Amino acid sequence: MKYFMAVLSMLFMGTIAAQNIKGELVDEAGSPIEDAGIFNKTSGQHSHTDGTGHFVLDRTSVNDTIYFSKLGYATLTRVVNQADFQNPLTLVLEETSISLDQVVLVSEVDALSRVVDADVKTNPVKSSQEILRKVPGLIIGQHAGGGKAEQIFLRGFDVDHGTDVAINVDGMPVNMVSHAHGQGYADLHFVIPETIENVNFGKGPYYADQGNFNTAGYVDLKLRKSLDKSLLSAEVGQFGTRRFIGMFSVMDNQNSNAYLASELYLTDGPFDSPQNFNRINIMGRYRYALPGDQELLLTASHFSSKWDASGQIPQRAVDQGLISRFGAIDDTEGGQTSRTNIILNHIKNLGTGKSLNTMAFVSHYDFELYSNFTFFLEDAVNGDQINQFEDRMLAGAKTVFQNNSANLGGVDFKYNAGIGFRYDNVDDNQLSHTLNRQELLERLAYGDVDEVNGYAFAGAEFKSGKFTFEPALRMDYFRFDYVDKMNELYDSRSEEKVAFSPKFNTIYSPTENTQIFLKTGIGFHSNDTRVVVANGGEDILPAAYGVDLGAIIRPADKLVVNATLWTLFLDQEFVYVGDAAIVEPSGKTRRMGIEVGARYQPLDWLYLYTDANYTHARSTEEVDGEDYIPLAPDFTMAGGVTIGGNQGFSGGINYRYIDDRPANEDNSIVAEGYFVTDTTLNYTLKNWTFGLIVENLFDIEWNETQFATESRLFNEPNSFEEIHFTPGTPFYLRGKVTVTF
């Protein structure tokens, strides 16, 4: 470890020694192209353009063949000549239709994310619920009327609303620490789907720039920097659904541009008791760029939604005919939430492969939710409705220095190093027993949370022949403060903790079309501040130890296949149950799995993809037969077919499947699986697009979310533990008209 730290401390001393070519990539309008891949077919060296479109490629010789590639652009091939070393190059990539042969398998740990980006480009997301489904193996479910964050499943985790998946939007964290409803709560509904440029992701705890909640994986959304065209869109469908989108380019000068985007979404849903759901999103983005020097992005957004919900209903109530599948026991559930964000991103090109990336954000967030999971179990007269509430301010910043052309002792390498912080100030974080969303019966928990997370990380990339080695280390410091307002005396408690997270990834690329990787690393997720102070600061940053062994192969220009064997071990932790204001211990767990996937584009207008995931997840501290992890999926699949181009007919059909899974520790209660198919059909004529969207094409009966819950209905003499579920959407038809200008 001392040697490792010594090497990292010397990284900033690196100087340019190897012969290199440098330059910038621009599109046909002269705008810089960010994150394009540069690959030396002869030596295996690779690089990427920064935010200003610039690149440096080391260890390059005369007659080497270089590929310049990015999805949506024709791949440019260049044979190096002596003149290329004298002056920086300016290369133009021509826009073209999306094609898998534009993906180059470079030696990077997120190479699969670049391949899957073709899924997003060929079949863009149509709703905020669809965003996370673009990650292979990630399943979501909604169980509170559409306004609550989705429940997430990934790699044998019931992630709840984000506890084990770190989610970011242009660097701003989405997960909420010490949230009133649950640790890591991640509500992505403030993102307008049409503004998404790509969905970057990684599975496992192998990424030094990802910290808290990065155990099962991370998802990082990148938003468009500019609009090619303005658009207006209107969508109308069953269940009183209406959605209106407006995206307007308001400035487009030589060095700056800006656009505005807005969304209004209204629906009653398929439920007997209307959801009365409404959501409004407003976003503005301004970009200022000095070619070859720097880029500044300023983003401001506001989101607000309100809804009523039918909640999770017991199976016995449906079987006995008391309610329909879309009925409710307590239809006064629901809530409201809002979030206002300001994000500043700055990229500075320092020359010779060096860059400085800085991000800062401030956000105001509020949340109020009414739920009733057990009905009349605790209060036989008034019922068990609860209210969860919080008012939060959060702010943070991060700076990362990147050097893509360093040399130490004659060894060429790349490295990055970064520092940052996040601060959450949560007022009136509370849980209360209520009646009909009107009357406060009893306050169960009430307090203020202050949480600080400071961090630093560094990582390097060394190439040796066809091997790439990536050591990295991350350090996180946490301070937790909690004021219990239910204590008549001023009760303020604080705890501190530090976590070290080493990573080491190895990639072997025997050919330009093959990548074999071995990823290892330690990650963590923090516990709720109320757990931390209650447990005296012990076992409050449970670690996750992971290993991935896999390969990505392109046997043909337009066919990419991938496979991964993985395992993840999660340490002891204590969980704060926001719905009950109690702390529950959760023991050690072990997960092992295999993932396979394929993407194939036999014709320019035909794109096919599929992913399958199997996981064996068990508690390691329980006896056989009682060691199941509730709701952890063991087998999932997703895939689809997309057809068409920019004009005429286009569309697609996709499916998602989840197997039956245990709903409790001994598998005596089973959550039923489902196979759901969605489809779209569009016709584009010049700047007009007319579309149909169908969810649940075959109108199957399925449960979107399910829980093993003990509950009691009114006048029932005894309680029962059984499946409580939120029904999945039935056949759901919507029409859509979009015009660009």
Side-chain angles (χ1 to χ4, degrees):
M1 179 62 73
K2 291 182 178 179
Y3 174 77
F4 179 71
M5 293 298 293
V7 171
L8 290 179
S9 68
M10 297 173 64
L11 293 180
F12 290 100
M13 300 167 58
T15 57
I16 305 302
Q19 195 172 30
N20 60 60
I21 61 172
K22 55 188 176 182
E24 65 174 330
L25 291 183
V26 297
D27 61 21
E28 294 167 288
S31 300
I33 300 176
E34 181 183 4
D35 204 29
I38 299 95
F39 178 73
N40 188 326
K41 178 182 178 181
T42 308
S43 69
Q45 287 290 111
H46 71 274
S47 184
H48 288 278
T49 55
D50 62 20
T52 65
H54 281 71
F55 69 90
V56 171
L57 185 64
D58 281 337
R59 289 197 285 182
T60 305
S61 304
V62 173
N63 295 325
D64 283 358
T65 300
I66 312 297
Y67 294 147
F68 301 87
S69 65
K70 185 176 175 66
L71 276 176
Y73 296 87
T75 299
L76 176 65
T77 302
R78 186 182 184 92
V79 178
V80 178
N81 59 58
Q82 188 62 45
D84 292 339
F85 299 109
Q86 308 306 317
N87 298 299
L89 304 174
T90 298
L91 303 175
V92 179
L93 297 188
E94 297 179 359
E95 290 191 45
T96 185
S97 57
I98 302 297
S99 177
L100 275 178
D101 58 11
Q102 297 162 0
V103 178
V104 176
L105 289 182
V106 297
S107 300
E108 294 185 336
V109 293
D110 64 349
L112 181 61
S113 181
R114 298 181 183 278
V115 174
V116 173
D117 195 30
D119 299 357
V120 181
K121 302 293 187 183
T122 56
N123 187 20
V125 293
K126 298 176 289 296
S127 68
S128 56
Q129 284 81 7
E130 263 195 284
I131 296 171
L132 294 176
R133 288 184 187 146
K134 291 296 182 180
V135 178
L138 194 153
I139 302 291
I140 64 169
Q142 177 58 256
H143 55 261
K148 189 174 169 184
E150 276 75 29
Q151 185 180 9
I152 303 171
F153 302 92
L154 180 66
R155 282 200 162 183
F157 279 86
D158 172 10
V159 182
D160 194 19
H161 298 289
T163 310
D164 290 284
V165 174
I167 301 176
N168 305 281
V169 174
D170 276 324
M172 181 185 69
V174 179
N175 305 75
M176 297 292 181
V177 297
S178 306
H179 190 270
H181 184 65
Q183 179 71 339
Y185 186 92
D187 187 351
L188 264 175
H189 294 136
F190 68 88
V191 176
I192 301 173
E194 286 80 358
T195 64
I196 295 174
E197 177 67 26
N198 61 51
V199 181
N200 187 33
F201 68 89
K203 298 182 186 179
Y206 312 121
Y207 318 94
D209 60 337
Q210 302 292 328
N212 199 6
F213 306 116
N214 175 215
T215 54
Y218 79 90
V219 181
D220 192 3
L221 303 184
K222 298 293 185 182
L223 304 182
R224 294 186 182 191
K225 292 185 177 181
S226 61
L227 298 181
D228 296 328
K229 296 179 180 179
S230 298
L231 70 82
L232 288 170
S233 180
E235 186 177 313
V236 178
Q238 292 177 273
F239 316 127
T241 300
R242 289 148 291 164
R243 181 172 181 257
F244 306 96
I245 294 288
M247 297 175 63
F248 308 99
S249 178
V250 295
M251 179 190 300
D252 191 6
N253 301 324
Q254 181 177 0
N255 295 329
S256 62
N257 59 265
Y259 73 88
L260 297 174
S262 60
E263 174 193 39
L264 175 64
Y265 180 48
L266 309 167
T267 187
D268 288 331
F271 302 93
D272 295 343
S273 182
Q275 289 183 357
N276 299 313
F277 178 85
N278 68 80
R279 178 172 70 230
I280 185 168
N281 272 314
I282 302 173
M283 187 191 84
R285 177 161 253 208
Y286 170 74
R287 174 176 175 265
Y288 174 77
L290 290 178
D293 183 47
Q294 62 183 310
E295 178 184 75
L296 178 71
L297 276 171
L298 178 63
T299 308
S301 65
H302 176 75
F303 143 83
S304 178
S305 71
K306 296 181 180 180
W307 69 96
D308 298 324
S310 296
Q312 302 149 34
I313 58 175
Q315 184 65 53
R316 66 184 183 278
V318 178
D319 294 341
Q320 295 171 13
L322 301 178
I323 58 174
S324 76
R325 276 180 50 80
F326 296 95
I329 301 299
D330 181 355
D331 64 358
T332 64
E333 296 187 41
Q336 58 184 1
T337 185
S338 69
R339 181 167 180 167
T340 303
N341 309 299
I342 298 176
I343 311 172
L344 181 68
N345 295 89
H346 181 256
I347 302 172
K348 174 67 175 177
N349 177 25
L350 303 176
T352 61
K354 301 182 181 70
S355 63
L356 190 67
N357 294 264
T358 301
M359 182 276 301
F361 70 91
V362 62
S363 184
H364 177 257
Y365 168 84
D366 63 62
F367 173 87
E368 185 173 30
L369 179 69
Y370 292 88
S371 308
N372 190 345
F373 305 109
T374 55
F375 311 122
F376 294 90
L377 179 66
E378 304 294 337
D379 187 333
V381 176
N382 299 299
D384 299 345
Q385 186 181 88
I386 58 172
N387 168 234
Q388 294 163 316
F389 175 89
E390 68 168 58
D391 184 6
R392 178 186 303 250
M393 286 292 298
L394 62 155
K398 178 171 71 173
T399 297
V400 181
F401 176 77
Q402 178 80 38
N403 189 345
N404 289 326
S405 185
N407 179 276
L408 181 65
V411 178
D412 295 323
F413 65 99
K414 304 175 184 179
Y415 70 88
N416 63 42
I419 58 173
F421 79 93
R422 170 180 173 170
Y423 170 63
D424 287 72
N425 172 247
V426 189
D427 292 331
D428 300 332
N429 193 321
Q430 61 182 285
L431 172 69
S432 301
H433 180 199
T434 57
L435 176 64
N436 295 329
R437 290 169 69 168
Q438 300 293 325
E439 184 178 351
L440 174 64
L441 300 177
E442 181 184 7
R443 187 162 275 158
L444 305 174
Y446 185 41
D448 294 339
V449 173
D450 283 274
E451 189 169 323
V452 176
N453 173 205
Y455 55 85
F457 61 87
E461 178 185 308
F462 299 89
K463 286 191 71 71
S464 178
K466 299 182 183 298
F467 283 91
T468 301
F469 303 99
E470 298 185 354
L473 181 65
R474 181 184 177 95
M475 186 276 289
D476 284 84
Y477 163 80
F478 284 87
R479 179 178 174 86
F480 307 87
D481 293 281
Y482 183 63
V483 177
D484 186 354
K485 291 185 175 181
M486 293 185 65
N487 194 320
E488 293 183 359
L489 302 175
Y490 182 81
D491 183 13
S492 176
R493 290 176 285 175
S494 300
E495 296 290 346
E496 296 179 324
K497 201 73 173 181
V498 175
F500 290 92
S501 307
K503 332 275 185 178
F504 193 91
N505 303 314
T506 303
I507 302 171
Y508 176 58
S509 301
T511 72
E512 63 184 273
N513 293 318
T514 303
Q515 178 189 113
I516 300 171
F517 55 83
L518 176 64
K519 304 178 186 179
T520 61
I522 299 175
F524 71 94
H525 73 243
S526 66
N527 273 332
D528 190 291
T529 292
R530 290 159 290 190
V531 175
V532 173
V533 299
N535 202 46
E538 298 297 325
D539 300 317
I540 61 174
L541 295 177
Y545 309 86
V547 178
D548 275 32
L549 174 63
I552 306 173
I553 302 172
R554 187 163 67 178
D557 283 345
K558 295 189 177 183
L559 172 64
V560 181
V561 295
N562 63 276
T564 304
L565 289 170
W566 62 271
T567 184
L568 190 67
F569 180 85
L570 190 66
D571 256 347
Q572 168 72 33
E573 61 176 312
F574 291 84
V575 178
Y576 180 82
V577 183
D579 297 335
I582 60 174
V583 177
E584 289 184 349
S586 176
K588 295 179 173 63
T589 58
R590 181 184 66 249
R591 292 166 172 84
M592 297 178 290
I594 181 171
E595 301 169 343
V596 294
R599 275 135 189 90
Y600 182 43
Q601 192 173 18
L603 302 168
D604 289 341
W605 53 269
L606 180 61
Y607 181 85
L608 304 92
Y609 69 96
T610 189
D611 295 284
N613 307 268
Y614 173 77
T615 302
H616 180 80
R618 293 291 186 271
S619 170
T620 63
E621 298 179 327
E622 303 295 337
V623 299
D624 288 346
E626 298 180 8
D627 57 350
Y628 292 91
I629 299 175
L631 300 179
D634 55 7
F635 184 71
T636 65
M637 283 189 69
V641 178
T642 303
I643 60 173
N646 295 326
Q647 291 290 316
F649 284 102
S650 64
I653 186 168
N654 57 71
Y655 70 89
R656 59 191 185 275
Y657 169 77
I658 185 169
D659 198 8
D660 293 349
R661 58 200 189 279
N664 58 356
E665 289 79 359
D666 63 5
N667 201 23
S668 60
I669 302 176
V670 176
E672 294 183 357
Y674 56 79
F675 187 102
V676 177
T677 304
D678 303 329
T679 189
T680 60
L681 178 64
N682 303 302
Y683 181 75
T684 301
L685 180 63
K686 296 182 179 180
N687 62 325
W688 289 86
T689 299
F690 306 89
L692 291 176
I693 303 168
V694 180
E695 294 186 30
N696 194 0
L697 176 64
F698 301 109
D699 197 23
I700 69 161
E701 186 176 286
W702 65 293
N703 296 336
E704 186 162 9
T705 57
Q706 301 170 77
F707 301 88
T709 305
E710 182 183 4
S711 67
R712 187 163 73 94
L713 304 180
F714 188 68
N715 287 334
E716 272 189 334
N718 301 306
S719 62
F720 295 88
E721 183 180 16
E722 64 172 353
I723 286 292
H724 290 55
F725 67 92
T726 297
T729 304
F731 180 90
Y732 181 19
L733 175 65
R734 307 192 298 276
K736 185 175 182 179
V737 178
T738 302
V739 59
T740 59
F741 53 93

